[in-house]
Amino acid sequence: APVAGVDYVEIAGGQPFQATAGKIEVAEVFGYTCGHCAQFEPVFKAWKARQPADVQVTLVPAAFGGFWLPYARAFYAAEALGVQEKTHDAVFAAIHLQRTLPVGNNVGAADIAPFYAKQGVDAKQFTDAFNSFGVDAKLNRARQFAVKTKIEGTPSLVVAGKYTISVDQQGFEKMLRTADWLVAQERAGAR
């Protein structure tokens, strides 16, 4: 069985990122600019597809500052425009495979909007969403969640808001096995 303090960190007074209506939330804190996150995505997607109805997967973009912020903003702008699920894999591919999206501290809406325009999103609507108060509020919430759950890197998983699992040298599969175990503990009411 996974060991607290070794395989995961317990979060005192932890709360899920969003209301789960009786489901067990598994939040993935990720960054589009993170190479490990890009490698984890297909593995995580397959894991997610196997989850029963009582597990709710929530994506939380890392809003650590610097080059992380533009793509955390883009995630929430895409969500506001209803295209986040459709564009999620494409953003990873554009950054890490095609290298058609820039990465850096000075990347803004004008740099990212053309990509979303190719995905069928009006560039002005994307820019407006990217710079909106609503996206600012979601970024602040994501940042607070990362601090409260002691996120130190990406990808990380947070189960039920109570347990943080970080990737380590033992890899993605171990991370997901630990998540499965913690979900089972939550389901059994043992925690």
Side-chain angles (χ1 to χ4, degrees):
V3 178
V6 175
D7 301 307
Y8 63 94
V9 175
E10 291 191 54
I11 307 302
Q15 297 286 319
F17 183 71
Q18 62 188 37
T20 57
K23 294 184 178 191
I24 301 163
E25 180 185 66
V26 177
E28 179 199 10
V29 180
F30 76 98
Y32 282 127
T33 56
C34 165
H36 292 294
C37 296
Q39 293 171 346
F40 182 54
E41 187 56 29
V43 177
F44 186 63
K45 188 182 264 188
W47 177 87
K48 179 179 161 182
R50 295 190 304 267
Q51 296 311 298
D54 70 339
V55 174
Q56 174 181 306
V57 173
T58 304
L59 300 180
V60 181
F64 297 143
F67 63 86
W68 296 84
L69 279 180
Y71 290 100
R73 276 189 175 285
F75 173 89
Y76 283 126
E79 184 181 78
L81 296 169
V83 297
Q84 185 278 317
E85 285 187 34
K86 176 183 138 187
T87 58
H88 188 67
D89 292 342
V91 175
F92 275 123
I95 292 171
H96 298 282
L97 300 176
Q98 293 118 14
R99 302 195 185 281
T100 54
L101 276 171
V103 175
N105 292 338
N106 298 320
V107 172
D111 302 303
I112 303 171
F115 165 82
Y116 281 93
K118 289 179 185 169
Q119 308 298 316
V121 176
D122 179 76
K124 181 174 178 353
Q125 284 184 322
F126 175 81
T127 300
D128 290 347
F130 186 92
N131 293 315
S132 71
F133 175 78
V135 166
D136 287 344
K138 287 183 176 195
L139 280 175
N140 286 333
R141 190 161 166 253
R143 191 177 298 115
Q144 290 167 0
F145 181 75
V147 169
K148 177 133 177 85
T149 57
K150 300 175 173 45
I151 301 297
E152 295 179 354
T154 55
S156 290
L157 300 176
V158 180
V159 177
K162 300 177 187 176
Y163 315 100
T164 299
I165 309 162
S166 298
V167 68
D168 63 18
Q169 63 276 12
Q170 295 181 40
F172 302 142
E173 292 299 332
K174 178 184 174 249
M175 227 179 139
L176 295 172
R177 281 193 306 277
T178 301
D180 285 337
W181 186 82
L182 289 168
V183 165
Q185 299 302 305
E186 281 294 304
R187 189 178 289 126
R191 302 308 238 134

